[in-house]
PDB file of all heavy atoms in Angstrom:
ATOM      1  N   GLN A 172      65.847  91.738  50.616  1.00 62.00           N
ATOM      2  CA  GLN A 172      66.553  90.755  49.797  1.00 62.00           C
ATOM      3  C   GLN A 172      66.040  89.333  50.048  1.00 62.00           C
ATOM      4  O   GLN A 172      66.787  88.410  50.327  1.00 62.00           O
ATOM      5  CB  GLN A 172      68.062  90.835  50.063  1.00 62.00           C
ATOM      6  CG  GLN A 172      68.657  92.188  49.709  1.00 62.00           C
ATOM      7  CD  GLN A 172      70.121  92.296  50.067  1.00 62.00           C
ATOM      8  OE1 GLN A 172      70.646  91.521  50.836  1.00 62.00           O
ATOM      9  NE2 GLN A 172      70.793  93.271  49.479  1.00 62.00           N
ATOM     10  N   ASN A 173      64.716  89.213  49.940  1.00 61.00           N
ATOM     11  CA  ASN A 173      64.034  87.921  50.018  1.00 61.00           C
ATOM     12  C   ASN A 173      64.107  87.242  51.388  1.00 61.00           C
ATOM     13  O   ASN A 173      63.797  86.064  51.518  1.00 61.00           O
ATOM     14  CB  ASN A 173      64.568  86.954  48.947  1.00 61.00           C
ATOM     15  CG  ASN A 173      64.249  87.453  47.551  1.00 61.00           C
ATOM     16  OD1 ASN A 173      63.173  88.005  47.319  1.00 61.00           O
ATOM     17  ND2 ASN A 173      65.176  87.288  46.633  1.00 61.00           N
ATOM     18  N   GLU A 174      64.505  87.986  52.434  1.00 68.00           N
ATOM     19  CA  GLU A 174      64.473  87.449  53.790  1.00 68.00           C
ATOM     20  C   GLU A 174      63.388  88.172  54.582  1.00 68.00           C
ATOM     21  O   GLU A 174      63.209  89.373  54.447  1.00 68.00           O
ATOM     22  CB  GLU A 174      65.830  87.636  54.484  1.00 68.00           C
ATOM     23  CG  GLU A 174      66.950  86.803  53.862  1.00 68.00           C
ATOM     24  CD  GLU A 174      68.245  86.953  54.631  1.00 68.00           C
ATOM     25  OE1 GLU A 174      68.188  87.372  55.792  1.00 68.00           O
ATOM     26  OE2 GLU A 174      69.303  86.642  54.063  1.00 68.00           O
ATOM     27  N   GLN A 175      62.689  87.404  55.424  1.00 74.00           N
ATOM     28  CA  GLN A 175      61.602  88.001  56.196  1.00 74.00           C
ATOM     29  C   GLN A 175      62.116  88.560  57.516  1.00 74.00           C
ATOM     30  O   GLN A 175      62.893  87.918  58.218  1.00 74.00           O
ATOM     31  CB  GLN A 175      60.523  86.954  56.478  1.00 74.00           C
ATOM     32  CG  GLN A 175      59.276  87.517  57.144  1.00 74.00           C
ATOM     33  CD  GLN A 175      58.283  86.426  57.485  1.00 74.00           C
ATOM     34  OE1 GLN A 175      58.469  85.688  58.435  1.00 74.00           O
ATOM     35  NE2 GLN A 175      57.235  86.319  56.699  1.00 74.00           N
ATOM     36  N   PHE A 176      61.687  89.763  57.835  1.00 77.00           N
ATOM     37  CA  PHE A 176      62.056  90.361  59.109  1.00 77.00           C
ATOM     38  C   PHE A 176      61.253  89.751  60.255  1.00 77.00           C
ATOM     39  O   PHE A 176      60.102  89.340  60.093  1.00 77.00           O
ATOM     40  CB  PHE A 176      61.766  91.862  59.099  1.00 77.00           C
ATOM     41  CG  PHE A 176      62.791  92.691  58.374  1.00 77.00           C
ATOM     42  CD1 PHE A 176      62.415  93.544  57.353  1.00 77.00           C
ATOM     43  CD2 PHE A 176      64.123  92.638  58.736  1.00 77.00           C
ATOM     44  CE1 PHE A 176      63.349  94.332  56.704  1.00 77.00           C
ATOM     45  CE2 PHE A 176      65.058  93.424  58.096  1.00 77.00           C
ATOM     46  CZ  PHE A 176      64.676  94.274  57.069  1.00 77.00           C
ATOM     47  N   LYS A 177      61.864  89.744  61.440  1.00 83.00           N
ATOM     48  CA  LYS A 177      61.159  89.469  62.684  1.00 83.00           C
ATOM     49  C   LYS A 177      61.245  90.741  63.532  1.00 83.00           C
ATOM     50  O   LYS A 177      62.272  91.427  63.515  1.00 83.00           O
ATOM     51  CB  LYS A 177      61.811  88.305  63.439  1.00 83.00           C
ATOM     52  CG  LYS A 177      61.738  86.967  62.716  1.00 83.00           C
ATOM     53  CD  LYS A 177      62.535  85.906  63.458  1.00 83.00           C
ATOM     54  CE  LYS A 177      64.036  86.174  63.322  1.00 83.00           C
ATOM     55  NZ  LYS A 177      64.860  85.083  63.934  1.00 83.00           N
ATOM     56  N   VAL A 178      60.172  91.037  64.251  1.00 85.00           N
ATOM     57  CA  VAL A 178      60.181  92.224  65.108  1.00 85.00           C
ATOM     58  C   VAL A 178      60.733  91.835  66.476  1.00 85.00           C
ATOM     59  O   VAL A 178      60.251  90.904  67.114  1.00 85.00           O
ATOM     60  CB  VAL A 178      58.772  92.820  65.246  1.00 85.00           C
ATOM     61  CG1 VAL A 178      58.786  94.011  66.202  1.00 85.00           C
ATOM     62  CG2 VAL A 178      58.245  93.260  63.883  1.00 85.00           C
ATOM     63  N   ALA A 179      61.759  92.542  66.917  1.00 87.00           N
ATOM     64  CA  ALA A 179      62.387  92.244  68.200  1.00 87.00           C
ATOM     65  C   ALA A 179      61.393  92.456  69.334  1.00 87.00           C
ATOM     66  O   ALA A 179      60.696  93.468  69.372  1.00 87.00           O
ATOM     67  CB  ALA A 179      63.615  93.136  68.400  1.00 87.00           C
ATOM     68  N   PRO A 180      61.312  91.505  70.263  1.00 85.00           N
ATOM     69  CA  PRO A 180      60.380  91.663  71.384  1.00 85.00           C
ATOM     70  C   PRO A 180      60.833  92.754  72.343  1.00 85.00           C
ATOM     71  O   PRO A 180      62.014  93.136  72.376  1.00 85.00           O
ATOM     72  CB  PRO A 180      60.425  90.280  72.064  1.00 85.00           C
ATOM     73  CG  PRO A 180      61.784  89.743  71.714  1.00 85.00           C
ATOM     74  CD  PRO A 180      62.076  90.255  70.331  1.00 85.00           C
ATOM     75  N   ILE A 181      59.903  93.252  73.135  1.00 84.00           N
ATOM     76  CA  ILE A 181      60.232  94.240  74.156  1.00 84.00           C
ATOM     77  C   ILE A 181      61.279  93.653  75.099  1.00 84.00           C
ATOM     78  O   ILE A 181      61.163  92.516  75.544  1.00 84.00           O
ATOM     79  CB  ILE A 181      58.978  94.652  74.946  1.00 84.00           C
ATOM     80  CG1 ILE A 181      57.952  95.320  74.023  1.00 84.00           C
ATOM     81  CG2 ILE A 181      59.343  95.585  76.094  1.00 84.00           C
ATOM     82  CD1 ILE A 181      58.421  96.614  73.417  1.00 84.00           C
ATOM     83  N   GLY A 182      62.325  94.410  75.391  1.00 87.00           N
ATOM     84  CA  GLY A 182      63.383  93.931  76.266  1.00 87.00           C
ATOM     85  C   GLY A 182      64.543  93.276  75.539  1.00 87.00           C
ATOM     86  O   GLY A 182      65.529  92.874  76.160  1.00 87.00           O
ATOM     87  N   PHE A 183      64.432  93.171  74.220  1.00 90.00           N
ATOM     88  CA  PHE A 183      65.462  92.515  73.417  1.00 90.00           C
ATOM     89  C   PHE A 183      66.828  93.177  73.637  1.00 90.00           C
ATOM     90  O   PHE A 183      67.858  92.501  73.684  1.00 90.00           O
ATOM     91  CB  PHE A 183      65.074  92.589  71.940  1.00 90.00           C
ATOM     92  CG  PHE A 183      66.027  91.884  71.005  1.00 90.00           C
ATOM     93  CD1 PHE A 183      65.907  90.519  70.784  1.00 90.00           C
ATOM     94  CD2 PHE A 183      67.021  92.584  70.336  1.00 90.00           C
ATOM     95  CE1 PHE A 183      66.777  89.864  69.917  1.00 90.00           C
ATOM     96  CE2 PHE A 183      67.894  91.940  69.458  1.00 90.00           C
ATOM     97  CZ  PHE A 183      67.766  90.574  69.265  1.00 90.00           C
ATOM     98  N   VAL A 184      66.849  94.479  73.786  1.00 92.00           N
ATOM     99  CA  VAL A 184      68.098  95.220  73.925  1.00 92.00           C
ATOM    100  C   VAL A 184      68.877  94.788  75.162  1.00 92.00           C
ATOM    101  O   VAL A 184      70.109  94.795  75.168  1.00 92.00           O
ATOM    102  CB  VAL A 184      67.812  96.740  73.960  1.00 92.00           C
ATOM    103  CG1 VAL A 184      66.978  97.113  75.175  1.00 92.00           C
ATOM    104  CG2 VAL A 184      69.106  97.538  73.951  1.00 92.00           C
ATOM    105  N   ARG A 185      68.186  94.356  76.210  1.00 91.00           N
ATOM    106  CA  ARG A 185      68.870  93.978  77.447  1.00 91.00           C
ATOM    107  C   ARG A 185      69.627  92.658  77.317  1.00 91.00           C
ATOM    108  O   ARG A 185      70.478  92.341  78.145  1.00 91.00           O
ATOM    109  CB  ARG A 185      67.862  93.908  78.594  1.00 91.00           C
ATOM    110  CG  ARG A 185      67.399  95.292  79.037  1.00 91.00           C
ATOM    111  CD  ARG A 185      66.186  95.241  79.929  1.00 91.00           C
ATOM    112  NE  ARG A 185      65.830  96.583  80.400  1.00 91.00           N
ATOM    113  CZ  ARG A 185      65.221  97.498  79.673  1.00 91.00           C
ATOM    114  NH1 ARG A 185      64.903  97.235  78.425  1.00 91.00           N
ATOM    115  NH2 ARG A 185      64.941  98.686  80.167  1.00 91.00           N
ATOM    116  N   GLY A 186      69.306  91.903  76.281  1.00 91.00           N
ATOM    117  CA  GLY A 186      70.052  90.682  76.014  1.00 91.00           C
ATOM    118  C   GLY A 186      71.342  90.934  75.260  1.00 91.00           C
ATOM    119  O   GLY A 186      72.108  89.990  75.010  1.00 91.00           O
ATOM    120  N   LEU A 187      71.567  92.174  74.885  1.00 92.00           N
ATOM    121  CA  LEU A 187      72.767  92.536  74.126  1.00 92.00           C
ATOM    122  C   LEU A 187      73.534  93.644  74.850  1.00 92.00           C
ATOM    123  O   LEU A 187      73.998  94.603  74.245  1.00 92.00           O
ATOM    124  CB  LEU A 187      72.379  92.995  72.710  1.00 92.00           C
ATOM    125  CG  LEU A 187      71.690  91.935  71.835  1.00 92.00           C
ATOM    126  CD1 LEU A 187      71.173  92.562  70.551  1.00 92.00           C
ATOM    127  CD2 LEU A 187      72.655  90.799  71.505  1.00 92.00           C
ATOM    128  N   LYS A 188      73.691  93.478  76.157  1.00 92.00           N
ATOM    129  CA  LYS A 188      74.341  94.508  76.965  1.00 92.00           C
ATOM    130  C   LYS A 188      75.780  94.761  76.523  1.00 92.00           C
ATOM    131  O   LYS A 188      76.248  95.903  76.525  1.00 92.00           O
ATOM    132  CB  LYS A 188      74.314  94.110  78.442  1.00 92.00           C
ATOM    133  CG  LYS A 188      72.935  94.160  79.078  1.00 92.00           C
ATOM    134  CD  LYS A 188      73.011  93.803  80.547  1.00 92.00           C
ATOM    135  CE  LYS A 188      71.630  93.861  81.199  1.00 92.00           C
ATOM    136  NZ  LYS A 188      71.700  93.508  82.639  1.00 92.00           N
ATOM    137  N   ARG A 189      76.489  93.697  76.165  1.00 92.00           N
ATOM    138  CA  ARG A 189      77.880  93.879  75.763  1.00 92.00           C
ATOM    139  C   ARG A 189      77.968  94.767  74.529  1.00 92.00           C
ATOM    140  O   ARG A 189      78.766  95.719  74.481  1.00 92.00           O
ATOM    141  CB  ARG A 189      78.531  92.522  75.490  1.00 92.00           C
ATOM    142  CG  ARG A 189      79.999  92.630  75.048  1.00 92.00           C
ATOM    143  CD  ARG A 189      80.585  91.251  74.794  1.00 92.00           C
ATOM    144  NE  ARG A 189      79.855  90.540  73.758  1.00 92.00           N
ATOM    145  CZ  ARG A 189      80.039  90.738  72.452  1.00 92.00           C
ATOM    146  NH1 ARG A 189      80.909  91.650  72.035  1.00 92.00           N
ATOM    147  NH2 ARG A 189      79.350  90.046  71.564  1.00 92.00           N
ATOM    148  N   GLU A 190      77.134  94.463  73.516  1.00 92.00           N
ATOM    149  CA  GLU A 190      77.140  95.260  72.291  1.00 92.00           C
ATOM    150  C   GLU A 190      76.740  96.706  72.562  1.00 92.00           C
ATOM    151  O   GLU A 190      77.329  97.645  72.016  1.00 92.00           O
ATOM    152  CB  GLU A 190      76.205  94.644  71.257  1.00 92.00           C
ATOM    153  CG  GLU A 190      76.682  93.318  70.671  1.00 92.00           C
ATOM    154  CD  GLU A 190      76.228  92.120  71.477  1.00 92.00           C
ATOM    155  OE1 GLU A 190      75.874  92.293  72.671  1.00 92.00           O
ATOM    156  OE2 GLU A 190      76.227  91.005  70.923  1.00 92.00           O
ATOM    157  N   VAL A 191      75.742  96.878  73.430  1.00 92.00           N
ATOM    158  CA  VAL A 191      75.288  98.231  73.759  1.00 92.00           C
ATOM    159  C   VAL A 191      76.386  99.007  74.475  1.00 92.00           C
ATOM    160  O   VAL A 191      76.637 100.184  74.186  1.00 92.00           O
ATOM    161  CB  VAL A 191      74.008  98.182  74.617  1.00 92.00           C
ATOM    162  CG1 VAL A 191      73.639  99.580  75.112  1.00 92.00           C
ATOM    163  CG2 VAL A 191      72.854  97.588  73.814  1.00 92.00           C
ATOM    164  N   GLY A 192      77.067  98.337  75.401  1.00 93.00           N
ATOM    165  CA  GLY A 192      78.160  98.983  76.114  1.00 93.00           C
ATOM    166  C   GLY A 192      79.262  99.426  75.173  1.00 93.00           C
ATOM    167  O   GLY A 192      79.808 100.540  75.308  1.00 93.00           O
ATOM    168  N   GLU A 193      79.588  98.572  74.188  1.00 93.00           N
ATOM    169  CA  GLU A 193      80.629  98.923  73.222  1.00 93.00           C
ATOM    170  C   GLU A 193      80.199 100.121  72.373  1.00 93.00           C
ATOM    171  O   GLU A 193      80.997 101.006  72.075  1.00 93.00           O
ATOM    172  CB  GLU A 193      80.933  97.720  72.331  1.00 93.00           C
ATOM    173  CG  GLU A 193      81.652  96.589  73.069  1.00 93.00           C
ATOM    174  CD  GLU A 193      81.825  95.354  72.202  1.00 93.00           C
ATOM    175  OE1 GLU A 193      81.282  95.350  71.067  1.00 93.00           O
ATOM    176  OE2 GLU A 193      82.484  94.400  72.646  1.00 93.00           O
ATOM    177  N   MET A 194      78.937 100.150  71.980  1.00 92.00           N
ATOM    178  CA  MET A 194      78.444 101.279  71.185  1.00 92.00           C
ATOM    179  C   MET A 194      78.513 102.582  71.960  1.00 92.00           C
ATOM    180  O   MET A 194      78.850 103.633  71.414  1.00 92.00           O
ATOM    181  CB  MET A 194      76.996 101.011  70.743  1.00 92.00           C
ATOM    182  CG  MET A 194      76.828  99.961  69.680  1.00 92.00           C
ATOM    183  SD  MET A 194      75.143  99.953  69.010  1.00 92.00           S
ATOM    184  CE  MET A 194      74.145  99.800  70.479  1.00 92.00           C
ATOM    185  N   LEU A 195      78.175 102.519  73.254  1.00 93.00           N
ATOM    186  CA  LEU A 195      78.143 103.720  74.089  1.00 93.00           C
ATOM    187  C   LEU A 195      79.499 104.026  74.713  1.00 93.00           C
ATOM    188  O   LEU A 195      79.629 105.030  75.429  1.00 93.00           O
ATOM    189  CB  LEU A 195      77.085 103.558  75.190  1.00 93.00           C
ATOM    190  CG  LEU A 195      75.626 103.417  74.731  1.00 93.00           C
ATOM    191  CD1 LEU A 195      74.722 103.165  75.929  1.00 93.00           C
ATOM    192  CD2 LEU A 195      75.175 104.652  73.970  1.00 93.00           C
ATOM    193  N   ASN A 196      80.471 103.132  74.459  1.00 93.00           N
ATOM    194  CA  ASN A 196      81.824 103.305  74.995  1.00 93.00           C
ATOM    195  C   ASN A 196      81.801 103.383  76.525  1.00 93.00           C
ATOM    196  O   ASN A 196      82.413 104.263  77.131  1.00 93.00           O
ATOM    197  CB  ASN A 196      82.478 104.563  74.405  1.00 93.00           C
ATOM    198  CG  ASN A 196      83.981 104.588  74.629  1.00 93.00           C
ATOM    199  OD1 ASN A 196      84.616 103.532  74.738  1.00 93.00           O
ATOM    200  ND2 ASN A 196      84.559 105.787  74.715  1.00 93.00           N
ATOM    201  N   LYS A 197      81.094 102.427  77.136  1.00 91.00           N
ATOM    202  CA  LYS A 197      81.018 102.365  78.591  1.00 91.00           C
ATOM    203  C   LYS A 197      80.820 100.921  79.028  1.00 91.00           C
ATOM    204  O   LYS A 197      80.492 100.054  78.204  1.00 91.00           O
ATOM    205  CB  LYS A 197      79.879 103.249  79.108  1.00 91.00           C
ATOM    206  CG  LYS A 197      78.495 102.813  78.672  1.00 91.00           C
ATOM    207  CD  LYS A 197      77.442 103.840  79.028  1.00 91.00           C
ATOM    208  CE  LYS A 197      77.334 104.112  80.487  1.00 91.00           C
ATOM    209  NZ  LYS A 197      76.222 105.046  80.812  1.00 91.00           N
ATOM    210  N   SER A 198      81.006 100.646  80.283  1.00 93.00           N
ATOM    211  CA  SER A 198      80.809  99.295  80.796  1.00 93.00           C
ATOM    212  C   SER A 198      79.347  98.902  80.686  1.00 93.00           C
ATOM    213  O   SER A 198      78.447  99.710  80.925  1.00 93.00           O
ATOM    214  CB  SER A 198      81.246  99.228  82.264  1.00 93.00           C
ATOM    215  OG  SER A 198      80.801  98.028  82.867  1.00 93.00           O
ATOM    216  N   GLN A 199      79.135  97.621  80.332  1.00 90.00           N
ATOM    217  CA  GLN A 199      77.752  97.143  80.228  1.00 90.00           C
ATOM    218  C   GLN A 199      77.029  97.211  81.567  1.00 90.00           C
ATOM    219  O   GLN A 199      75.796  97.216  81.616  1.00 90.00           O
ATOM    220  CB  GLN A 199      77.732  95.710  79.694  1.00 90.00           C
ATOM    221  CG  GLN A 199      78.464  94.701  80.574  1.00 90.00           C
ATOM    222  CD  GLN A 199      78.385  93.293  80.031  1.00 90.00           C
ATOM    223  OE1 GLN A 199      77.301  92.699  79.956  1.00 90.00           O
ATOM    224  NE2 GLN A 199      79.512  92.750  79.634  1.00 90.00           N
ATOM    225  N   TYR A 200      77.789  97.276  82.658  1.00 92.00           N
ATOM    226  CA  TYR A 200      77.182  97.304  83.992  1.00 92.00           C
ATOM    227  C   TYR A 200      76.770  98.713  84.424  1.00 92.00           C
ATOM    228  O   TYR A 200      76.158  98.891  85.477  1.00 92.00           O
ATOM    229  CB  TYR A 200      78.159  96.712  85.023  1.00 92.00           C
ATOM    230  CG  TYR A 200      78.605  95.307  84.660  1.00 92.00           C
ATOM    231  CD1 TYR A 200      79.891  95.068  84.190  1.00 92.00           C
ATOM    232  CD2 TYR A 200      77.715  94.242  84.760  1.00 92.00           C
ATOM    233  CE1 TYR A 200      80.298  93.785  83.832  1.00 92.00           C
ATOM    234  CE2 TYR A 200      78.110  92.951  84.409  1.00 92.00           C
ATOM    235  CZ  TYR A 200      79.401  92.737  83.941  1.00 92.00           C
ATOM    236  OH  TYR A 200      79.787  91.464  83.589  1.00 92.00           O
ATOM    237  N   THR A 201      77.123  99.700  83.622  1.00 93.00           N
ATOM    238  CA  THR A 201      76.766 101.080  83.975  1.00 93.00           C
ATOM    239  C   THR A 201      75.728 101.672  83.026  1.00 93.00           C
ATOM    240  O   THR A 201      75.433 102.858  83.104  1.00 93.00           O
ATOM    241  CB  THR A 201      78.026 101.980  83.989  1.00 93.00           C
ATOM    242  OG1 THR A 201      78.637 101.964  82.676  1.00 93.00           O
ATOM    243  CG2 THR A 201      79.029 101.490  85.015  1.00 93.00           C
ATOM    244  N   ILE A 202      75.193 100.850  82.122  1.00 93.00           N
ATOM    245  CA  ILE A 202      74.143 101.328  81.217  1.00 93.00           C
ATOM    246  C   ILE A 202      72.879 101.598  82.036  1.00 93.00           C
ATOM    247  O   ILE A 202      72.441 100.746  82.812  1.00 93.00           O
ATOM    248  CB  ILE A 202      73.849 100.298  80.114  1.00 93.00           C
ATOM    249  CG1 ILE A 202      75.124  99.955  79.340  1.00 93.00           C
ATOM    250  CG2 ILE A 202      72.778 100.826  79.157  1.00 93.00           C
ATOM    251  CD1 ILE A 202      74.971  98.758  78.416  1.00 93.00           C
ATOM    252  N   THR A 203      72.308 102.759  81.873  1.00 93.00           N
ATOM    253  CA  THR A 203      71.120 103.120  82.653  1.00 93.00           C
ATOM    254  C   THR A 203      69.840 102.616  81.981  1.00 93.00           C
ATOM    255  O   THR A 203      69.820 102.325  80.786  1.00 93.00           O
ATOM    256  CB  THR A 203      71.028 104.646  82.806  1.00 93.00           C
ATOM    257  OG1 THR A 203      70.801 105.233  81.511  1.00 93.00           O
ATOM    258  CG2 THR A 203      72.317 105.214  83.388  1.00 93.00           C
ATOM    259  N   GLU A 204      68.799 102.517  82.780  1.00 92.00           N
ATOM    260  CA  GLU A 204      67.492 102.115  82.242  1.00 92.00           C
ATOM    261  C   GLU A 204      67.012 103.115  81.194  1.00 92.00           C
ATOM    262  O   GLU A 204      66.370 102.758  80.215  1.00 92.00           O
ATOM    263  CB  GLU A 204      66.463 102.010  83.375  1.00 92.00           C
ATOM    264  CG  GLU A 204      66.609 100.764  84.228  1.00 92.00           C
ATOM    265  CD  GLU A 204      66.451  99.494  83.396  1.00 92.00           C
ATOM    266  OE1 GLU A 204      65.469  99.380  82.638  1.00 92.00           O
ATOM    267  OE2 GLU A 204      67.335  98.618  83.491  1.00 92.00           O
ATOM    268  N   SER A 205      67.354 104.378  81.415  1.00 92.00           N
ATOM    269  CA  SER A 205      66.961 105.408  80.458  1.00 92.00           C
ATOM    270  C   SER A 205      67.642 105.187  79.109  1.00 92.00           C
ATOM    271  O   SER A 205      67.028 105.376  78.053  1.00 92.00           O
ATOM    272  CB  SER A 205      67.331 106.794  81.007  1.00 92.00           C
ATOM    273  OG  SER A 205      67.001 107.806  80.094  1.00 92.00           O
ATOM    274  N   GLU A 206      68.898 104.760  79.135  1.00 93.00           N
ATOM    275  CA  GLU A 206      69.615 104.491  77.887  1.00 93.00           C
ATOM    276  C   GLU A 206      69.044 103.255  77.180  1.00 93.00           C
ATOM    277  O   GLU A 206      68.899 103.244  75.955  1.00 93.00           O
ATOM    278  CB  GLU A 206      71.109 104.313  78.175  1.00 93.00           C
ATOM    279  CG  GLU A 206      71.798 105.629  78.511  1.00 93.00           C
ATOM    280  CD  GLU A 206      73.215 105.437  79.013  1.00 93.00           C
ATOM    281  OE1 GLU A 206      73.476 104.410  79.689  1.00 93.00           O
ATOM    282  OE2 GLU A 206      74.061 106.306  78.742  1.00 93.00           O
ATOM    283  N   PHE A 207      68.723 102.230  77.955  1.00 92.00           N
ATOM    284  CA  PHE A 207      68.090 101.050  77.356  1.00 92.00           C
ATOM    285  C   PHE A 207      66.772 101.439  76.680  1.00 92.00           C
ATOM    286  O   PHE A 207      66.489 101.025  75.553  1.00 92.00           O
ATOM    287  CB  PHE A 207      67.807  99.988  78.429  1.00 92.00           C
ATOM    288  CG  PHE A 207      68.987  99.120  78.762  1.00 92.00           C
ATOM    289  CD1 PHE A 207      69.356  98.908  80.077  1.00 92.00           C
ATOM    290  CD2 PHE A 207      69.723  98.488  77.761  1.00 92.00           C
ATOM    291  CE1 PHE A 207      70.437  98.100  80.396  1.00 92.00           C
ATOM    292  CE2 PHE A 207      70.802  97.674  78.069  1.00 92.00           C
ATOM    293  CZ  PHE A 207      71.171  97.483  79.396  1.00 92.00           C
ATOM    294  N   ALA A 208      65.961 102.235  77.373  1.00 91.00           N
ATOM    295  CA  ALA A 208      64.662 102.644  76.829  1.00 91.00           C
ATOM    296  C   ALA A 208      64.837 103.483  75.573  1.00 91.00           C
ATOM    297  O   ALA A 208      64.076 103.341  74.604  1.00 91.00           O
ATOM    298  CB  ALA A 208      63.879 103.421  77.889  1.00 91.00           C
ATOM    299  N   ALA A 209      65.852 104.365  75.579  1.00 92.00           N
ATOM    300  CA  ALA A 209      66.088 105.217  74.414  1.00 92.00           C
ATOM    301  C   ALA A 209      66.500 104.389  73.202  1.00 92.00           C
ATOM    302  O   ALA A 209      66.030 104.631  72.081  1.00 92.00           O
ATOM    303  CB  ALA A 209      67.162 106.251  74.734  1.00 92.00           C
ATOM    304  N   ILE A 210      67.363 103.396  73.410  1.00 93.00           N
ATOM    305  CA  ILE A 210      67.803 102.546  72.298  1.00 93.00           C
ATOM    306  C   ILE A 210      66.629 101.726  71.770  1.00 93.00           C
ATOM    307  O   ILE A 210      66.460 101.555  70.561  1.00 93.00           O
ATOM    308  CB  ILE A 210      68.958 101.631  72.747  1.00 93.00           C
ATOM    309  CG1 ILE A 210      70.223 102.467  72.947  1.00 93.00           C
ATOM    310  CG2 ILE A 210      69.213 100.530  71.715  1.00 93.00           C
ATOM    311  CD1 ILE A 210      71.396 101.703  73.506  1.00 93.00           C
ATOM    312  N   GLU A 211      65.792 101.239  72.676  1.00 90.00           N
ATOM    313  CA  GLU A 211      64.663 100.408  72.256  1.00 90.00           C
ATOM    314  C   GLU A 211      63.615 101.216  71.488  1.00 90.00           C
ATOM    315  O   GLU A 211      62.837 100.652  70.716  1.00 90.00           O
ATOM    316  CB  GLU A 211      64.025  99.743  73.471  1.00 90.00           C
ATOM    317  CG  GLU A 211      63.156  98.560  73.132  1.00 90.00           C
ATOM    318  CD  GLU A 211      63.010  97.601  74.299  1.00 90.00           C
ATOM    319  OE1 GLU A 211      62.657  98.070  75.396  1.00 90.00           O
ATOM    320  OE2 GLU A 211      63.249  96.402  74.114  1.00 90.00           O
ATOM    321  N   SER A 212      63.599 102.524  71.671  1.00 88.00           N
ATOM    322  CA  SER A 212      62.575 103.348  71.014  1.00 88.00           C
ATOM    323  C   SER A 212      63.143 104.181  69.862  1.00 88.00           C
ATOM    324  O   SER A 212      62.490 105.108  69.405  1.00 88.00           O
ATOM    325  CB  SER A 212      61.915 104.275  72.036  1.00 88.00           C
ATOM    326  OG  SER A 212      62.853 105.186  72.582  1.00 88.00           O
ATOM    327  N   LEU A 213      64.342 103.841  69.396  1.00 92.00           N
ATOM    328  CA  LEU A 213      64.941 104.591  68.298  1.00 92.00           C
ATOM    329  C   LEU A 213      64.039 104.580  67.077  1.00 92.00           C
ATOM    330  O   LEU A 213      63.583 103.530  66.636  1.00 92.00           O
ATOM    331  CB  LEU A 213      66.309 104.003  67.930  1.00 92.00           C
ATOM    332  CG  LEU A 213      67.437 104.191  68.947  1.00 92.00           C
ATOM    333  CD1 LEU A 213      68.676 103.413  68.497  1.00 92.00           C
ATOM    334  CD2 LEU A 213      67.768 105.666  69.118  1.00 92.00           C
TER     335      LEU A 213
END
């Protein structure tokens, strides 16, 4: 819709721990590195 995309840099997901925790229904402090990697490679 006439807006240009930007590609999220590697590690972008770690800046959104709160949102990720809410999506996974768990504390942001218990998100594993494996889960971060899986979300980043969706």
Side-chain angles (χ1 to χ4, degrees):
Q172 299 176 343
N173 295 322
E174 293 184 19
Q175 186 184 76
F176 281 125
K177 295 174 289 185
V178 177
I181 297 296
F183 183 84
V184 63
R185 287 167 176 76
L187 297 172
K188 290 182 180 180
R189 180 180 60 81
E190 290 89 340
V191 173
E193 290 175 354
M194 288 191 306
L195 297 176
N196 195 28
K197 64 189 300 184
S198 167
Q199 61 178 295
Y200 304 107
T201 60
I202 304 169
T203 66
E204 284 300 310
S205 178
E206 287 171 327
F207 277 131
I210 289 175
E211 198 156 52
S212 63
L213 290 174

